Amino acid sequence: MDPLEQQLKSLNSSPASEPDPQWVASARTKLAWTMEYPVQGALPRATPLPRLRFGLRRIWMTVSISLLVVLLLGSGITYAAQGVMPDNILYPVKIASEEVLLGVTKDPVQRTNLELRLANRRVDELQALSQSETLDADIAAELHARYQKHITEVLQALPTIPQDKVQTVTETLSQDTEEHARITQELDVRASSEIKGEIKASVKASLEQMRQFTEETSRAAHYLKEKSNRPTKWKVKVETNTTGEAHVKVETEMGNNEKKEKREIEFRATPGVPLTVTSTWPMIKERREKKNDEETEDQEPSRVRATTTIIFDLDQATTTVPSNTIEQLEKMKRILNKGSFFQFQSDMSAEGGSVEQRVETDIKGQSHIRVDSQEDSQEDDD
Amino acid sequence: MPPEPIPTRDKELEERFLAAYDAQVKSIFRYIYYRTGQEKEETQELTQEVFMRTWAYLQENKRPIDDIRAFLFQVARHVIADRWRKHKPALSLEELSPQEEPATPPLPHASLDLLILEQHLLKLPVRHREILTLRFISDLSTEETGRVLGISANNVAVLTNRAIKKLRKLLPTTMHDVLDA
């Protein structure tokens, strides 16, 4: 075969064209959630918006009312609308003001909190209407759809939330959804005793859907909470000073909030001398529930190894390749010039294995960073 | 407002599609990466869109796709085309035209070769870049490539040859030594 073709084939394994493993996992989660909860909110532009009870297309309603909301902000009407129920004429104002708020909340943590608060509102509304015996099937279905949309937004946003915040978010989510499941469970009973005939049957069906959804979400949230209880942070800082020496600081954090382990290693890389630092960390393995035994929690510590190799060559530390084309290739593969600084963070896998971080400066003075992780069952020399 | 019925789920289809995701996500990513020359984040976003759109299609049509791999590549082309309309290409025209290569020192190791190859691949015209990516990096056969691009296998072979020649011309002379060795 043509050597050039051979070379092209080996681009297959070029780290530049490799997606981040973390992204691969999170995109898969998103895809799975989309399959799990195919709600209108998941694909906003692809599916037509459902019709509102007032006969107007909701989109126009929302647009015009958003305008109204903006105009009336401060006038007290939007404020007054916050307490209204879905059977009230002002309810679209309430929904529109929520959407305005969602529209301006960009921070993923704040946004998930907001979505969760709105989900709480929907459950409150459902409960209030059911208690005042004014719940009909349309409203129940609409509230369910809206609730589902809020929760799905939260779940889909989880992979984008920073590691140190995700625990709080999943905890709140778990608590709230547990409460939602409890409330909807009770509503089922109330609806069956207080609403009559056919209406009763359709309301019941809507509530049943809602109940199933809240239960499922509550279970999922519980699992996510457990999972996020074991965060692992890994931070490597490489700083090159003007004389060409590289300072490398490795910060690692293990365990949950109650039992946090932190370790910092700092060392200096001498130009031209390869340097390898290996640190080994005990990893908490996935908890296994044993069915036969009494509740024993298996916390087998396995080892994880992380290696940072720095090869820094001062004499060659000049860039001959234009930096913009290199930058284009990949963020992780940066040029470490004299006096430059970069920082990156990666999460280790929870299964136990080794994470290798390699910073290598080639003859042209470019430093390449590589993060490899592998399953690693046997003990390592440490 | 009557509720939209929650679509019935086809567990088997879901599992098969997730399996397709696992098997193909990297090669779709690579294809988009080399085809567009975009940053990694952008490429990831586009890759995700490919799978989301394909899934939406599967949901709507409810019928299996014979060759999911070729189909994913086709969707990827659409996604790229749509994005192209919205944004300017990442590479400027200046960069697209062949440039004088500065004299480079002897190449120390294989990974640097690849780096240089990567850069020059990105300088090729889209059509050539696409065919080389599909044929070699994504490792599709001439028939499969033809299906994705909507041309005959013969045509694919001819275009591949031309693209290889063009790439060879672009590469710095030092690289030729390595390749000829």
Side-chain angles (χ1 to χ4, degrees), chain A residues 2-3 12 14 17-18 20 23-24 27-28 30 36 51 138 141 326 328-330 333 363, chain B residues 1 3 9 21-22 26 29-30 33 40 44 48 91 108 114-115 118-119 137 139 168 179:
Chain A
D2 187 326
N12 216 337
S14 159
S17 62
E18 194 82 1
D20 296 331
W23 171 83
V24 172
R28 192 186 199 279
K30 275 186 203 167
E36 194 101 358
R51 295 181 81 83
D138 282 2
I326 299 289
Q328 217 174 330
L329 291 178
E330 219 208 332
K333 203 163 65 184
I363 198 155
Chain B
M1 180 201 77
R9 293 179 58 191
Y21 172 86
D22 293 336
K26 283 189 180 174
F29 176 91
R30 270 188 210 111
Y33 180 82
K40 198 174 217 175
Q44 287 177 169
Q48 177 153 359
L91 294 170
L114 288 187
L115 201 74
E118 237 166 35
Q119 284 174 35
I137 299 168
D139 208 18
R168 197 187 295 277
L179 290 174

mmCIF file of all heavy atoms in Angstrom, chain A residues 2-3 12 14 17-18 20 23-24 27-28 30 36 51 138 141 326 328-330 333 363, chain B residues 1 3 9 21-22 26 29-30 33 40 44 48 91 108 114-115 118-119 137 139 168 179:
data_model
loop_
_atom_site.group_PDB
_atom_site.id
_atom_site.type_symbol
_atom_site.label_atom_id
_atom_site.label_comp_id
_atom_site.label_asym_id
_atom_site.label_seq_id
_atom_site.Cartn_x
_atom_site.Cartn_y
_atom_site.Cartn_z
ATOM 1 N N ASP A 2 0.364 2.279 -0.591
ATOM 2 C CA ASP A 2 1.014 3.582 -0.625
ATOM 3 C C ASP A 2 1.343 4.029 0.806
ATOM 4 O O ASP A 2 0.478 4.015 1.670
ATOM 5 C CB ASP A 2 0.029 4.577 -1.271
ATOM 6 C CG ASP A 2 0.661 5.939 -1.505
ATOM 7 O OD1 ASP A 2 1.495 6.330 -0.667
ATOM 8 O OD2 ASP A 2 0.306 6.593 -2.496
ATOM 9 N N PRO A 3 2.620 4.415 1.050
ATOM 10 C CA PRO A 3 2.969 4.832 2.428
ATOM 11 C C PRO A 3 2.133 6.019 2.910
ATOM 12 O O PRO A 3 1.848 6.141 4.093
ATOM 13 C CB PRO A 3 4.445 5.196 2.331
ATOM 14 C CG PRO A 3 4.791 5.208 0.888
ATOM 15 C CD PRO A 3 3.781 4.389 0.169
ATOM 16 N N ASN A 12 -6.049 7.843 12.317
ATOM 17 C CA ASN A 12 -7.123 7.202 13.062
ATOM 18 C C ASN A 12 -6.883 7.204 14.562
ATOM 19 O O ASN A 12 -7.796 7.280 15.360
ATOM 20 C CB ASN A 12 -7.152 5.753 12.595
ATOM 21 C CG ASN A 12 -8.544 5.249 12.530
ATOM 22 O OD1 ASN A 12 -9.399 5.792 13.205
ATOM 23 N ND2 ASN A 12 -8.774 4.243 11.727
ATOM 24 N N SER A 14 -4.748 9.357 16.033
ATOM 25 C CA SER A 14 -4.209 10.636 16.478
ATOM 26 C C SER A 14 -5.053 11.191 17.623
ATOM 27 O O SER A 14 -6.275 11.233 17.527
ATOM 28 C CB SER A 14 -4.212 11.609 15.308
ATOM 29 O OG SER A 14 -4.169 12.932 15.799
ATOM 30 N N SER A 17 -7.814 13.775 16.944
ATOM 31 C CA SER A 17 -9.111 13.427 16.375
ATOM 32 C C SER A 17 -9.886 12.482 17.292
ATOM 33 O O SER A 17 -10.793 11.799 16.874
ATOM 34 C CB SER A 17 -8.927 12.772 15.016
ATOM 35 O OG SER A 17 -8.213 11.583 15.148
ATOM 36 N N GLU A 18 -9.490 12.470 18.528
ATOM 37 C CA GLU A 18 -10.154 11.597 19.500
ATOM 38 C C GLU A 18 -11.089 12.455 20.354
ATOM 39 O O GLU A 18 -10.660 13.440 20.930
ATOM 40 C CB GLU A 18 -9.058 10.971 20.367
ATOM 41 C CG GLU A 18 -9.476 9.823 21.206
ATOM 42 C CD GLU A 18 -9.504 8.508 20.441
ATOM 43 O OE1 GLU A 18 -9.185 8.457 19.234
ATOM 44 O OE2 GLU A 18 -9.847 7.532 21.080
ATOM 45 N N ASP A 20 -13.151 13.629 23.654
ATOM 46 C CA ASP A 20 -12.904 13.425 25.082
ATOM 47 C C ASP A 20 -13.751 12.265 25.571
ATOM 48 O O ASP A 20 -14.954 12.238 25.321
ATOM 49 C CB ASP A 20 -13.323 14.668 25.892
ATOM 50 C CG ASP A 20 -12.488 15.869 25.527
ATOM 51 O OD1 ASP A 20 -11.333 15.670 25.126
ATOM 52 O OD2 ASP A 20 -12.993 17.001 25.647
ATOM 53 N N TRP A 23 -16.776 13.368 27.279
ATOM 54 C CA TRP A 23 -17.840 13.832 26.397
ATOM 55 C C TRP A 23 -18.588 12.653 25.787
ATOM 56 O O TRP A 23 -19.819 12.668 25.690
ATOM 57 C CB TRP A 23 -17.274 14.721 25.284
ATOM 58 C CG TRP A 23 -18.312 15.029 24.266
ATOM 59 C CD1 TRP A 23 -19.255 16.004 24.334
ATOM 60 C CD2 TRP A 23 -18.569 14.315 23.055
ATOM 61 N NE1 TRP A 23 -20.079 15.936 23.237
ATOM 62 C CE2 TRP A 23 -19.676 14.899 22.442
ATOM 63 C CE3 TRP A 23 -17.960 13.214 22.438
ATOM 64 C CZ2 TRP A 23 -20.204 14.448 21.242
ATOM 65 C CZ3 TRP A 23 -18.473 12.757 21.248
ATOM 66 C CH2 TRP A 23 -19.581 13.374 20.662
ATOM 67 N N VAL A 24 -17.837 11.627 25.373
ATOM 68 C CA VAL A 24 -18.471 10.455 24.766
ATOM 69 C C VAL A 24 -19.512 9.888 25.729
ATOM 70 O O VAL A 24 -20.638 9.587 25.344
ATOM 71 C CB VAL A 24 -17.412 9.375 24.420
ATOM 72 C CG1 VAL A 24 -18.087 8.084 23.971
ATOM 73 C CG2 VAL A 24 -16.484 9.878 23.333
ATOM 74 N N ALA A 27 -22.521 12.479 26.215
ATOM 75 C CA ALA A 27 -23.403 12.554 25.045
ATOM 76 C C ALA A 27 -24.276 11.300 24.974
ATOM 77 O O ALA A 27 -25.437 11.356 24.578
ATOM 78 C CB ALA A 27 -22.583 12.687 23.766
ATOM 79 N N ARG A 28 -23.703 10.186 25.397
ATOM 80 C CA ARG A 28 -24.468 8.939 25.399
ATOM 81 C C ARG A 28 -25.604 9.031 26.421
ATOM 82 O O ARG A 28 -26.732 8.632 26.148
ATOM 83 C CB ARG A 28 -23.540 7.780 25.763
ATOM 84 C CG ARG A 28 -24.163 6.419 25.504
ATOM 85 C CD ARG A 28 -23.242 5.316 26.015
ATOM 86 N NE ARG A 28 -23.544 4.037 25.444
ATOM 87 C CZ ARG A 28 -24.516 3.254 25.867
ATOM 88 N NH1 ARG A 28 -25.273 3.645 26.876
ATOM 89 N NH2 ARG A 28 -24.737 2.091 25.298
ATOM 90 N N LYS A 30 -27.061 11.721 27.408
ATOM 91 C CA LYS A 30 -28.093 12.612 26.869
ATOM 92 C C LYS A 30 -28.989 11.876 25.880
ATOM 93 O O LYS A 30 -30.202 12.023 25.891
ATOM 94 C CB LYS A 30 -27.439 13.804 26.172
ATOM 95 C CG LYS A 30 -27.099 14.915 27.124
ATOM 96 C CD LYS A 30 -26.598 16.113 26.361
ATOM 97 C CE LYS A 30 -25.753 16.985 27.254
ATOM 98 N NZ LYS A 30 -24.989 17.978 26.526
ATOM 99 N N GLU A 36 -35.495 7.952 26.745
ATOM 100 C CA GLU A 36 -36.303 7.654 27.919
ATOM 101 C C GLU A 36 -37.477 8.611 28.056
ATOM 102 O O GLU A 36 -38.589 8.205 28.334
ATOM 103 C CB GLU A 36 -35.395 7.759 29.144
ATOM 104 C CG GLU A 36 -35.977 7.168 30.398
ATOM 105 C CD GLU A 36 -35.405 5.790 30.671
ATOM 106 O OE1 GLU A 36 -34.604 5.305 29.863
ATOM 107 O OE2 GLU A 36 -35.776 5.209 31.671
ATOM 108 N N ARG A 51 -51.307 22.847 21.372
ATOM 109 C CA ARG A 51 -52.225 23.983 21.424
ATOM 110 C C ARG A 51 -52.607 24.278 22.862
ATOM 111 O O ARG A 51 -52.754 23.387 23.673
ATOM 112 C CB ARG A 51 -53.480 23.671 20.628
ATOM 113 C CG ARG A 51 -53.202 23.514 19.162
ATOM 114 C CD ARG A 51 -54.494 23.226 18.442
ATOM 115 N NE ARG A 51 -55.246 24.444 18.198
ATOM 116 C CZ ARG A 51 -55.010 25.257 17.172
ATOM 117 N NH1 ARG A 51 -54.050 24.971 16.341
ATOM 118 N NH2 ARG A 51 -55.733 26.320 16.991
ATOM 119 N N ASP A 138 -57.439 17.884 30.948
ATOM 120 C CA ASP A 138 -56.559 18.728 30.140
ATOM 121 C C ASP A 138 -55.474 19.372 30.982
ATOM 122 O O ASP A 138 -54.295 19.360 30.646
ATOM 123 C CB ASP A 138 -57.370 19.856 29.471
ATOM 124 C CG ASP A 138 -58.120 19.336 28.262
ATOM 125 O OD1 ASP A 138 -58.008 18.119 28.007
ATOM 126 O OD2 ASP A 138 -58.808 20.135 27.616
ATOM 127 N N ALA A 141 -52.998 16.889 32.259
ATOM 128 C CA ALA A 141 -52.056 16.462 31.224
ATOM 129 C C ALA A 141 -51.035 17.559 30.931
ATOM 130 O O ALA A 141 -49.849 17.291 30.728
ATOM 131 C CB ALA A 141 -52.806 16.098 29.953
ATOM 132 N N ILE A 326 -1.437 25.106 14.988
ATOM 133 C CA ILE A 326 -1.365 24.063 16.012
ATOM 134 C C ILE A 326 -2.578 24.163 16.929
ATOM 135 O O ILE A 326 -3.223 23.168 17.238
ATOM 136 C CB ILE A 326 -0.087 24.210 16.859
ATOM 137 C CG1 ILE A 326 1.146 24.083 15.982
ATOM 138 C CG2 ILE A 326 -0.037 23.185 17.977
ATOM 139 C CD1 ILE A 326 1.392 22.692 15.465
ATOM 140 N N GLN A 328 -5.327 25.176 16.324
ATOM 141 C CA GLN A 328 -6.499 24.705 15.628
ATOM 142 C C GLN A 328 -6.683 23.211 15.825
ATOM 143 O O GLN A 328 -7.784 22.715 15.789
ATOM 144 C CB GLN A 328 -6.290 24.988 14.163
ATOM 145 C CG GLN A 328 -7.517 25.409 13.450
ATOM 146 C CD GLN A 328 -7.127 25.804 12.049
ATOM 147 O OE1 GLN A 328 -6.037 26.262 11.801
ATOM 148 N NE2 GLN A 328 -8.009 25.601 11.133
ATOM 149 N N LEU A 329 -5.596 22.515 15.946
ATOM 150 C CA LEU A 329 -5.688 21.062 16.029
ATOM 151 C C LEU A 329 -6.403 20.600 17.281
ATOM 152 O O LEU A 329 -7.272 19.779 17.257
ATOM 153 C CB LEU A 329 -4.299 20.435 15.968
ATOM 154 C CG LEU A 329 -3.614 20.551 14.629
ATOM 155 C CD1 LEU A 329 -2.233 19.949 14.694
ATOM 156 C CD2 LEU A 329 -4.430 19.854 13.560
ATOM 157 N N GLU A 330 -6.030 21.144 18.411
ATOM 158 C CA GLU A 330 -6.599 20.620 19.623
ATOM 159 C C GLU A 330 -6.241 21.483 20.804
ATOM 160 O O GLU A 330 -5.161 22.039 20.866
ATOM 161 C CB GLU A 330 -6.050 19.217 19.840
ATOM 162 C CG GLU A 330 -7.052 18.267 20.354
ATOM 163 C CD GLU A 330 -6.357 17.222 21.155
ATOM 164 O OE1 GLU A 330 -5.184 16.947 20.888
ATOM 165 O OE2 GLU A 330 -6.982 16.726 22.078
ATOM 166 N N LYS A 333 -3.532 19.865 23.232
ATOM 167 C CA LYS A 333 -2.181 19.743 22.720
ATOM 168 C C LYS A 333 -1.637 21.147 22.561
ATOM 169 O O LYS A 333 -1.633 21.707 21.492
ATOM 170 C CB LYS A 333 -2.258 19.027 21.374
ATOM 171 C CG LYS A 333 -1.017 18.350 20.961
ATOM 172 C CD LYS A 333 -1.291 17.350 19.871
ATOM 173 C CE LYS A 333 -1.781 18.027 18.607
ATOM 174 N NZ LYS A 333 -2.152 17.087 17.563
ATOM 175 N N ILE A 363 11.191 17.982 20.072
ATOM 176 C CA ILE A 363 12.417 18.680 19.691
ATOM 177 C C ILE A 363 12.140 20.109 19.245
ATOM 178 O O ILE A 363 12.987 20.987 19.305
ATOM 179 C CB ILE A 363 13.145 17.875 18.589
ATOM 180 C CG1 ILE A 363 14.603 18.321 18.480
ATOM 181 C CG2 ILE A 363 12.436 17.993 17.242
ATOM 182 C CD1 ILE A 363 15.484 17.248 17.910
ATOM 183 N N MET B 1 -56.595 20.939 26.184
ATOM 184 C CA MET B 1 -55.505 20.434 25.344
ATOM 185 C C MET B 1 -55.343 18.947 25.569
ATOM 186 O O MET B 1 -54.940 18.522 26.635
ATOM 187 C CB MET B 1 -54.215 21.143 25.746
ATOM 188 C CG MET B 1 -53.013 20.713 24.942
ATOM 189 S SD MET B 1 -51.460 21.076 25.803
ATOM 190 C CE MET B 1 -51.405 19.763 27.009
ATOM 191 N N PRO B 3 -53.535 15.635 25.751
ATOM 192 C CA PRO B 3 -52.096 15.408 25.857
ATOM 193 C C PRO B 3 -51.590 14.648 24.643
ATOM 194 O O PRO B 3 -52.312 13.802 24.122
ATOM 195 C CB PRO B 3 -51.973 14.550 27.108
ATOM 196 C CG PRO B 3 -53.295 13.877 27.241
ATOM 197 C CD PRO B 3 -54.311 14.800 26.656
ATOM 198 N N ARG B 9 -42.399 3.058 23.526
ATOM 199 C CA ARG B 9 -40.957 2.906 23.380
ATOM 200 C C ARG B 9 -40.617 1.552 22.772
ATOM 201 O O ARG B 9 -41.246 0.551 23.055
ATOM 202 C CB ARG B 9 -40.285 3.055 24.732
ATOM 203 C CG ARG B 9 -40.405 4.448 25.273
ATOM 204 C CD ARG B 9 -39.762 4.539 26.615
ATOM 205 N NE ARG B 9 -38.357 4.157 26.574
ATOM 206 C CZ ARG B 9 -37.652 3.967 27.670
ATOM 207 N NH1 ARG B 9 -38.191 4.074 28.851
ATOM 208 N NH2 ARG B 9 -36.392 3.636 27.588
ATOM 209 N N TYR B 21 -24.246 3.844 18.524
ATOM 210 C CA TYR B 21 -23.534 5.020 19.047
ATOM 211 C C TYR B 21 -22.150 4.622 19.538
ATOM 212 O O TYR B 21 -21.142 5.212 19.168
ATOM 213 C CB TYR B 21 -24.336 5.656 20.192
ATOM 214 C CG TYR B 21 -23.597 6.763 20.912
ATOM 215 C CD1 TYR B 21 -23.641 8.064 20.441
ATOM 216 C CD2 TYR B 21 -22.843 6.494 22.049
ATOM 217 C CE1 TYR B 21 -22.951 9.076 21.080
ATOM 218 C CE2 TYR B 21 -22.146 7.501 22.703
ATOM 219 C CZ TYR B 21 -22.206 8.789 22.212
ATOM 220 O OH TYR B 21 -21.510 9.775 22.855
ATOM 221 N N ASP B 22 -22.123 3.576 20.380
ATOM 222 C CA ASP B 22 -20.846 3.126 20.938
ATOM 223 C C ASP B 22 -19.850 2.761 19.844
ATOM 224 O O ASP B 22 -18.673 3.080 19.920
ATOM 225 C CB ASP B 22 -21.063 1.914 21.851
ATOM 226 C CG ASP B 22 -21.851 2.287 23.097
ATOM 227 O OD1 ASP B 22 -21.814 3.476 23.468
ATOM 228 O OD2 ASP B 22 -22.510 1.412 23.679
ATOM 229 N N LYS B 26 -16.820 7.484 17.607
ATOM 230 C CA LYS B 26 -15.475 7.984 17.348
ATOM 231 C C LYS B 26 -15.234 8.230 15.870
ATOM 232 O O LYS B 26 -14.607 9.212 15.489
ATOM 233 C CB LYS B 26 -14.435 7.008 17.897
ATOM 234 C CG LYS B 26 -14.310 7.116 19.404
ATOM 235 C CD LYS B 26 -13.157 6.321 19.927
ATOM 236 C CE LYS B 26 -13.078 6.467 21.443
ATOM 237 N NZ LYS B 26 -12.056 5.607 22.013
ATOM 238 N N PHE B 29 -17.038 11.302 14.808
ATOM 239 C CA PHE B 29 -16.308 12.456 15.330
ATOM 240 C C PHE B 29 -15.108 12.770 14.429
ATOM 241 O O PHE B 29 -14.895 13.910 14.025
ATOM 242 C CB PHE B 29 -15.833 12.176 16.761
ATOM 243 C CG PHE B 29 -14.999 13.272 17.348
ATOM 244 C CD1 PHE B 29 -15.588 14.293 18.080
ATOM 245 C CD2 PHE B 29 -13.625 13.305 17.162
ATOM 246 C CE1 PHE B 29 -14.830 15.314 18.614
ATOM 247 C CE2 PHE B 29 -12.854 14.325 17.690
ATOM 248 C CZ PHE B 29 -13.461 15.327 18.419
ATOM 249 N N ARG B 30 -14.332 11.732 14.117
ATOM 250 C CA ARG B 30 -13.137 11.925 13.291
ATOM 251 C C ARG B 30 -13.497 12.470 11.914
ATOM 252 O O ARG B 30 -12.834 13.354 11.390
ATOM 253 C CB ARG B 30 -12.408 10.592 13.114
ATOM 254 C CG ARG B 30 -11.416 10.379 14.181
ATOM 255 C CD ARG B 30 -10.566 9.166 13.908
ATOM 256 N NE ARG B 30 -10.189 8.638 15.198
ATOM 257 C CZ ARG B 30 -10.636 7.505 15.681
ATOM 258 N NH1 ARG B 30 -11.427 6.749 14.974
ATOM 259 N NH2 ARG B 30 -10.268 7.119 16.876
ATOM 260 N N TYR B 33 -14.375 16.019 12.271
ATOM 261 C CA TYR B 33 -13.167 16.774 12.637
ATOM 262 C C TYR B 33 -12.315 17.095 11.407
ATOM 263 O O TYR B 33 -11.934 18.235 11.171
ATOM 264 C CB TYR B 33 -12.361 15.966 13.654
ATOM 265 C CG TYR B 33 -11.100 16.646 14.114
ATOM 266 C CD1 TYR B 33 -11.146 17.604 15.119
ATOM 267 C CD2 TYR B 33 -9.870 16.349 13.535
ATOM 268 C CE1 TYR B 33 -10.000 18.241 15.544
ATOM 269 C CE2 TYR B 33 -8.717 16.977 13.954
ATOM 270 C CZ TYR B 33 -8.782 17.925 14.956
ATOM 271 O OH TYR B 33 -7.659 18.552 15.356
ATOM 272 N N LYS B 40 -12.309 21.064 18.673
ATOM 273 C CA LYS B 40 -12.872 19.850 19.251
ATOM 274 C C LYS B 40 -14.285 20.057 19.803
ATOM 275 O O LYS B 40 -15.167 19.245 19.571
ATOM 276 C CB LYS B 40 -11.951 19.372 20.365
ATOM 277 C CG LYS B 40 -12.173 17.938 20.742
ATOM 278 C CD LYS B 40 -11.128 17.509 21.740
ATOM 279 C CE LYS B 40 -10.726 16.089 21.485
ATOM 280 N NZ LYS B 40 -9.639 15.657 22.333
ATOM 281 N N GLN B 44 -17.577 18.102 18.649
ATOM 282 C CA GLN B 44 -18.378 17.293 19.568
ATOM 283 C C GLN B 44 -19.847 17.666 19.479
ATOM 284 O O GLN B 44 -20.717 16.811 19.461
ATOM 285 C CB GLN B 44 -17.871 17.464 21.002
ATOM 286 C CG GLN B 44 -16.558 16.754 21.212
ATOM 287 C CD GLN B 44 -15.946 16.936 22.590
ATOM 288 O OE1 GLN B 44 -15.002 16.261 22.926
ATOM 289 N NE2 GLN B 44 -16.457 17.851 23.376
ATOM 290 N N GLN B 48 -22.830 15.146 18.292
ATOM 291 C CA GLN B 48 -24.028 14.872 19.084
ATOM 292 C C GLN B 48 -25.285 15.107 18.253
ATOM 293 O O GLN B 48 -26.225 14.323 18.276
ATOM 294 C CB GLN B 48 -24.041 15.768 20.316
ATOM 295 C CG GLN B 48 -25.301 15.553 21.127
ATOM 296 C CD GLN B 48 -25.067 15.875 22.587
ATOM 297 O OE1 GLN B 48 -23.978 16.240 22.995
ATOM 298 N NE2 GLN B 48 -26.081 15.719 23.379
ATOM 299 N N LEU B 91 -11.498 27.722 8.473
ATOM 300 C CA LEU B 91 -10.260 28.022 7.776
ATOM 301 C C LEU B 91 -10.482 29.191 6.825
ATOM 302 O O LEU B 91 -11.476 29.235 6.109
ATOM 303 C CB LEU B 91 -9.820 26.812 6.955
ATOM 304 C CG LEU B 91 -9.429 25.565 7.726
ATOM 305 C CD1 LEU B 91 -9.265 24.409 6.770
ATOM 306 C CD2 LEU B 91 -8.152 25.797 8.496
ATOM 307 N N PRO B 108 11.887 14.240 13.877
ATOM 308 C CA PRO B 108 12.367 13.367 14.930
ATOM 309 C C PRO B 108 11.527 12.108 15.153
ATOM 310 O O PRO B 108 12.052 11.045 15.332
ATOM 311 C CB PRO B 108 12.330 14.246 16.172
ATOM 312 C CG PRO B 108 11.284 15.263 15.885
ATOM 313 C CD PRO B 108 11.245 15.433 14.413
ATOM 314 N N LEU B 114 2.719 12.920 11.817
ATOM 315 C CA LEU B 114 1.255 12.893 11.785
ATOM 316 C C LEU B 114 0.687 14.298 11.962
ATOM 317 O O LEU B 114 -0.286 14.663 11.326
ATOM 318 C CB LEU B 114 0.707 11.970 12.868
ATOM 319 C CG LEU B 114 0.910 10.481 12.617
ATOM 320 C CD1 LEU B 114 0.174 9.674 13.661
ATOM 321 C CD2 LEU B 114 0.449 10.089 11.224
ATOM 322 N N LEU B 115 1.352 15.052 12.840
ATOM 323 C CA LEU B 115 0.910 16.416 13.084
ATOM 324 C C LEU B 115 0.946 17.220 11.786
ATOM 325 O O LEU B 115 0.029 17.951 11.449
ATOM 326 C CB LEU B 115 1.832 17.044 14.125
ATOM 327 C CG LEU B 115 1.282 18.230 14.875
ATOM 328 C CD1 LEU B 115 0.266 17.768 15.884
ATOM 329 C CD2 LEU B 115 2.412 18.973 15.564
ATOM 330 N N GLU B 118 -1.647 16.003 9.383
ATOM 331 C CA GLU B 118 -2.949 16.511 9.809
ATOM 332 C C GLU B 118 -3.167 17.932 9.278
ATOM 333 O O GLU B 118 -4.206 18.241 8.710
ATOM 334 C CB GLU B 118 -2.954 16.582 11.339
ATOM 335 C CG GLU B 118 -4.045 15.806 11.999
ATOM 336 C CD GLU B 118 -3.775 15.663 13.481
ATOM 337 O OE1 GLU B 118 -3.224 16.595 14.103
ATOM 338 O OE2 GLU B 118 -4.091 14.602 14.029
ATOM 339 N N GLN B 119 -2.150 18.757 9.480
ATOM 340 C CA GLN B 119 -2.284 20.147 9.050
ATOM 341 C C GLN B 119 -2.477 20.272 7.554
ATOM 342 O O GLN B 119 -3.241 21.105 7.089
ATOM 343 C CB GLN B 119 -1.041 20.932 9.442
ATOM 344 C CG GLN B 119 -0.996 21.255 10.893
ATOM 345 C CD GLN B 119 0.319 21.910 11.238
ATOM 346 O OE1 GLN B 119 0.875 22.661 10.466
ATOM 347 N NE2 GLN B 119 0.822 21.603 12.414
ATOM 348 N N ILE B 137 -9.348 7.381 7.088
ATOM 349 C CA ILE B 137 -9.478 7.588 8.527
ATOM 350 C C ILE B 137 -10.721 6.895 9.049
ATOM 351 O O ILE B 137 -10.689 6.200 10.048
ATOM 352 C CB ILE B 137 -9.457 9.091 8.855
ATOM 353 C CG1 ILE B 137 -8.114 9.662 8.391
ATOM 354 C CG2 ILE B 137 -9.649 9.314 10.343
ATOM 355 C CD1 ILE B 137 -8.043 11.138 8.372
ATOM 356 N N ASP B 139 -12.096 4.578 7.374
ATOM 357 C CA ASP B 139 -11.901 3.211 6.912
ATOM 358 C C ASP B 139 -13.141 2.624 6.231
ATOM 359 O O ASP B 139 -13.502 1.470 6.480
ATOM 360 C CB ASP B 139 -11.457 2.329 8.074
ATOM 361 C CG ASP B 139 -10.613 1.164 7.580
ATOM 362 O OD1 ASP B 139 -10.121 1.252 6.438
ATOM 363 O OD2 ASP B 139 -10.465 0.182 8.315
ATOM 364 N N ARG B 168 0.101 14.798 -1.596
ATOM 365 C CA ARG B 168 1.540 14.560 -1.695
ATOM 366 C C ARG B 168 2.260 15.822 -2.152
ATOM 367 O O ARG B 168 3.340 16.153 -1.682
ATOM 368 C CB ARG B 168 1.809 13.410 -2.662
ATOM 369 C CG ARG B 168 3.210 12.828 -2.524
ATOM 370 C CD ARG B 168 3.485 11.828 -3.597
ATOM 371 N NE ARG B 168 2.624 10.665 -3.497
ATOM 372 C CZ ARG B 168 2.869 9.638 -2.679
ATOM 373 N NH1 ARG B 168 3.918 9.637 -1.917
ATOM 374 N NH2 ARG B 168 2.058 8.609 -2.629
ATOM 375 N N LEU B 179 8.377 9.246 3.468
ATOM 376 C CA LEU B 179 7.366 8.408 2.820
ATOM 377 C C LEU B 179 7.975 7.455 1.803
ATOM 378 O O LEU B 179 7.507 6.344 1.622
ATOM 379 C CB LEU B 179 6.311 9.291 2.134
ATOM 380 C CG LEU B 179 5.396 10.047 3.090
ATOM 381 C CD1 LEU B 179 4.507 10.994 2.308
ATOM 382 C CD2 LEU B 179 4.557 9.090 3.907
#
